[in-house]
Amino acid sequence: MRYAQGGGLSDERRQFRESIRMMAAERFALGEPSSAIAKELRVSVRSVQRWRRTWFRDGPRALRSAGSASPPRLGEAQFAVLEAELAKGPVAHGWPDQRWTLSRIKTVIGRRFHKSYTLQGVRKLLIRHGFSCQVPARRAVERDEDQVTGWVKETWPQVEASRRRSMHGSSSRTSPASR
């Protein structure tokens, strides 16, 4: 099942949903109708009906959460090691510049932990641990900020054409001024 936030449910959210199903199971035992349970628990009637079938067939234990879909490939200790490797920089891992890309991080994970990730998997792993995309500022080494500032203040206003017209314009095609 896919969720909008890009991963599965957090443990807290999974536990909350399980508690909703357990409350529904208590009401199933009392014989309440599905529509009343759905309205009270603020869920869809179809969900309540599905839970009721599962409860009837396998009992209340069947409504418990099965846990996360899959455990993360890199544990917290391994991610801490990866974070230390990333802090060393790409040059320390053999790349010519100081720019981390998803494919480079994927390669480091493969070399260090012998685990295979897709680029999207690397992206989700990093986002899950609080990293964000950064775009490097591509500026020439020879760039002189004082000269750029002076050009913007002095030369650019002279080069930039005035946007005002000498006379009022008209959107009419029949107007002589628009010809």
Side-chain angles (χ1 to χ4, degrees):
M1 184 176 277
R2 294 197 162 227
Y3 297 97
Q5 64 267 30
L9 294 175
S10 65
D11 289 335
E12 297 83 27
R13 190 69 181 157
R14 193 176 305 110
Q15 191 173 14
F16 171 75
R17 287 191 176 186
E18 181 180 332
S19 69
I20 296 285
R21 290 190 300 270
M22 290 300 130
M23 285 189 267
E26 292 171 3
R27 293 173 179 228
F28 296 154
L30 298 174
E32 291 186 30
S34 296
S35 58
I37 296 171
K39 186 174 183 180
E40 185 69 29
L41 298 178
R42 301 176 76 188
V43 296
S44 70
V45 176
R46 291 188 77 161
S47 292
V48 174
Q49 290 169 344
R50 188 177 63 247
W51 298 341
R52 187 184 296 269
R53 281 193 304 272
T54 303
W55 174 80
F56 184 74
R57 186 179 60 239
D58 300 323
R61 290 184 61 105
L63 296 177
R64 293 193 182 269
S65 174
S68 62
S70 63
R73 292 185 196 172
L74 288 183
E76 293 300 320
Q78 288 177 320
F79 190 81
V81 172
L82 175 63
E83 208 168 2
E85 292 293 325
L86 295 178
K88 291 177 185 176
V91 173
H93 293 279
W95 285 286
D97 58 1
Q98 285 292 331
R99 188 178 58 214
W100 279 117
T101 62
L102 292 177
S103 61
R104 289 179 179 184
I105 296 172
K106 174 185 171 186
T107 303
V108 170
I109 291 171
R111 288 177 185 168
R112 185 76 170 95
F113 304 107
H114 305 289
K115 304 219 176 187
S116 176
Y117 268 87
T118 63
L119 294 180
Q120 294 86 358
V122 172
R123 181 180 159 277
K124 288 179 182 179
L125 173 73
L126 294 174
I127 288 173
R128 192 177 308 127
H129 285 88
F131 285 76
S132 63
C133 295
Q134 303 292 316
V135 178
R138 296 181 187 210
R139 304 234 165 135
V141 176
E142 302 86 10
R143 181 180 170 117
D144 184 2
E145 290 297 328
D146 294 333
Q147 282 187 346
V148 171
T149 304
W151 186 88
V152 168
K153 287 182 179 177
E154 297 168 11
T155 310
W156 178 245
Q158 296 169 0
V159 172
E160 186 179 37
S162 175
R163 294 192 179 192
R164 287 195 167 167
R165 296 179 126 190
S166 59
M167 58 189 310
H168 293 294
S170 172
S171 62
S172 170
R173 288 180 176 228
T174 59
S175 170
S178 65
R179 292 185 193 158

